[in-house]
Amino acid sequence: MIRKTLVLSFAIMFLVVTPAHADFEKENWQYYKKVEPEKKGFSLIRLDQEVLTRCQNNLNDLRLVSSQGDEVPYKLIQVEPSTMETYPVQIINDVVRENEFSAVTLDMERTARLNNNIMFEITSKDDYLRDVLIEGSNDNQNWDTIIKSKIFRVGNNGQDEVSYPPASYRYIRVKIDCKGKEPLDIKEVKVRFIPKKKNDFNLITAKTISNRQDPETKTSEIIADLGVKGIYVNDISLQVSNDNFDRGIEGYYSYDKKEWHAIGSGRIFNYSWTDYSASQENLPIHERVGRYVKIRIQNQDSPPLNVKGIEVRGRYPALLADLNNENHYLWYGNLVSEFARYDLNRFAHLVDLDDLPEINPGSENINDKYVAKETSKRNLLNIITVAAVIVVGFIILKNLTSKK
């Protein structure tokens, strides 16, 4: 009887603190915009400054709804970099099974690193033709198939790289089948993004709000305000008037100028003398950022550079959705909604985005039926309930132990 009571107590706790899944309810969203498709099928819906300003930082509260009130699946599309990128990866698992396969699991260190090519360095004294399976995961547990392909080597000729539709998983797993032969020895794996087309990025207004020197750390810091969070930034360029320098730089973004997140590092340089000149004054980013960006320059013992300003190139993000030939509505402005998980997330990378219709949503409308949720009271109730159940469970366990 005591055991049943204990189980019931914890069951009640689980039901109370676990929020139930609910369909889209208009009264939970503050704003909406009309979306008018050109035709039936996949389209890109370009977000704007109003939407990004009202949304959560992670854009979890975006919802696309049909005229009948049905929720329409969408995928937030990551913009492709304009230049080839090779990403640093860490091999966190290396497995070889005789007569079966060789496999490696790669950690990309974070999500949002768009890639579409893997190149292998393989040691083998024999020619080979092998099947390759490439999978992706964001938790190193649940895996999606990215592509099935082949690699081969005949003498000095062969194909030791695999291309696939752009993906951005945190973890990548590569499995090379042996077909009953000696497993291949994978010495190195390079994960790259190779652009297939030139993206046209816009110049994003970036107002410099701070430009200071720190003598203790021997660094310069420039902070700029982009005016809105959520913009996909391709690169940041520094406007430097000095000649003949070579410095390390780091990039960061923030939503509030208090907590900063690293987004890249590199070097800027300018060499200029008789019969020779070369320069590199931009930092590749390829990521959605907060409203504020910061560049830190490592001066070491050299005098600070004269940085007149920074230029940011990027684009507003877009949603991919399969639309009917009718009006839809983009809802946003729900501070407590969670990330929507749709089937489309698993196969959106297979959709060719070239030549898809691009839709700009209409003017912003305020939802007059919006009702703010009192999340603070709900959370306090959950805490009190959990504490009460824990106390009751402790008492029951104590009584159960004393009777043995």
Side-chain angles (χ1 to χ4, degrees):
M1 179 63 184
I2 295 178
R3 286 193 178 90
K4 290 182 179 180
T5 304
L6 182 61
V7 172
L8 180 60
S9 299
F10 281 103
I12 292 173
M13 177 186 72
F14 178 79
L15 290 174
V16 171
V17 302
T18 303
H21 179 271
D23 292 333
F24 173 79
E25 296 176 351
K26 291 183 180 179
E27 60 268 22
N28 295 332
W29 271 259
Q30 299 183 62
Y31 310 97
Y32 65 94
K33 291 192 172 195
K34 183 185 290 187
V35 176
E36 300 181 88
E38 297 178 7
K39 59 181 180 180
K40 178 180 172 61
F42 279 110
S43 296
L44 293 173
I45 303 169
R46 184 67 59 185
L47 305 184
D48 56 27
Q49 185 166 352
E50 286 180 331
V51 174
L52 294 180
T53 300
R54 311 280 196 188
C55 275
Q56 296 180 26
N57 290 343
N58 50 21
L59 309 186
N60 281 354
D61 53 330
L62 292 173
R63 295 295 184 273
L64 191 60
V65 180
S66 69
S67 334
Q68 290 74 34
D70 298 323
E71 196 168 331
V72 178
Y74 70 85
K75 174 70 168 67
L76 185 65
I77 294 300
Q78 188 172 351
V79 183
E80 296 184 358
S82 59
T83 57
M84 189 181 83
E85 297 291 331
T86 300
Y87 300 107
V89 296
Q90 180 182 0
I91 297 178
I92 59 175
N93 195 17
D94 189 348
V95 178
V96 176
R97 291 188 182 177
E98 294 295 330
N99 300 319
E100 291 188 36
F101 64 84
S102 52
V104 292
T105 301
L106 311 173
D107 185 355
M108 298 285 290
E109 298 182 353
R110 63 176 185 262
T111 56
R113 282 180 160 167
L114 205 65
N115 56 89
N116 63 359
N117 178 275
I118 292 182
M119 185 169 62
F120 306 98
E121 182 180 331
I122 294 174
T123 301
S124 176
K125 63 181 182 297
D126 300 319
D127 297 339
Y128 57 83
L129 172 62
R130 303 291 171 88
D131 292 324
V132 178
L133 171 64
I134 299 178
E135 300 172 293
S137 171
N138 286 323
D139 58 9
N140 201 19
Q141 295 181 2
N142 302 295
W143 295 89
D144 299 327
T145 298
I146 296 177
I147 196 170
K148 294 179 180 180
S149 188
K150 294 181 184 294
I151 57 174
F152 69 92
R153 175 67 53 186
V154 180
N156 294 324
N157 300 314
Q159 178 72 31
D160 284 341
E161 63 180 85
V162 176
S163 296
Y164 46 87
S168 58
Y169 293 98
R170 165 69 186 268
Y171 301 96
I172 297 176
R173 186 166 65 189
V174 179
K175 182 178 178 182
I176 303 178
D177 196 352
C178 295
K179 296 184 180 296
K181 299 180 180 180
E182 186 74 16
L184 296 180
D185 185 9
I186 305 174
K187 291 294 185 182
E188 185 181 3
V189 181
K190 292 183 179 180
V191 179
R192 306 183 295 178
F193 178 83
I194 302 176
K196 296 182 179 179
K197 60 186 179 70
K198 180 177 176 59
N199 271 316
D200 295 323
F201 292 101
N202 302 318
L203 195 61
I204 305 297
T205 301
K207 180 182 179 182
T208 301
I209 58 177
S210 175
N211 189 343
R212 70 181 187 89
Q213 318 302 324
D214 188 338
E216 291 187 6
T217 60
K218 300 180 181 180
T219 60
S220 303
E221 284 190 356
I222 301 99
I223 298 177
D225 182 359
L226 304 184
V228 67
K229 64 181 183 293
I231 294 176
Y232 177 88
V233 172
N234 183 73
D235 63 90
I236 298 176
S237 298
L238 300 182
Q239 298 171 322
V240 183
S241 61
N242 306 70
D243 291 330
N244 296 323
F245 62 85
D246 190 327
R247 310 278 171 98
I249 62 172
E250 303 155 4
Y252 304 85
Y253 75 84
S254 174
Y255 295 101
D256 55 10
K257 294 184 292 184
K258 297 178 181 178
E259 183 179 356
W260 294 91
H261 308 270
I263 49 175
S265 62
R267 303 197 69 80
I268 56 172
F269 58 85
N270 181 292
Y271 312 140
S272 180
W273 54 82
T274 304
D275 299 327
Y276 187 82
S277 64
S279 64
Q280 169 67 42
E281 297 179 355
N282 77 310
L283 177 66
I285 301 297
H286 312 318
E287 194 166 326
R288 278 193 303 113
V289 303
R291 174 170 175 170
Y292 306 96
V293 294
K294 176 171 68 176
I295 296 295
R296 178 180 293 157
I297 305 173
Q298 301 291 341
N299 297 319
Q300 296 183 318
D301 294 319
S302 298
L305 297 174
N306 181 20
V307 181
K308 296 181 178 180
I310 68 173
E311 289 186 347
V312 177
R313 293 194 313 140
R315 295 188 71 180
Y316 284 86
L319 307 181
L320 173 70
D322 188 5
L323 305 178
N324 292 322
N325 192 17
E326 60 181 14
N327 290 336
H328 293 67
Y329 297 89
L330 179 65
W331 291 81
Y332 52 99
N334 182 333
L335 299 181
V336 298
S337 64
E338 298 182 355
F339 176 71
R341 292 173 173 81
Y342 303 118
D343 292 343
L344 181 59
N345 291 331
R346 292 183 175 273
F347 59 85
H349 63 280
L350 300 176
V351 179
D352 186 358
L353 304 183
D354 292 343
D355 301 324
L356 284 184
E358 186 168 311
I359 306 170
N360 294 312
S363 58
E364 181 174 85
N365 298 280
I366 299 176
N367 181 16
D368 55 9
K369 296 182 180 180
Y370 169 71
V371 179
K373 285 189 174 182
E374 298 184 20
T375 56
S376 58
K377 292 183 179 180
R378 172 67 178 175
N379 292 337
L380 179 61
L381 176 61
N382 287 345
I383 293 172
I384 294 174
T385 303
V386 171
V389 173
I390 290 175
V391 171
V392 172
F394 177 77
I395 294 173
I396 293 173
L397 282 173
K398 185 176 180 181
N399 291 336
L400 182 62
T401 304
S402 63
K403 291 184 179 183
K404 287 185 177 180

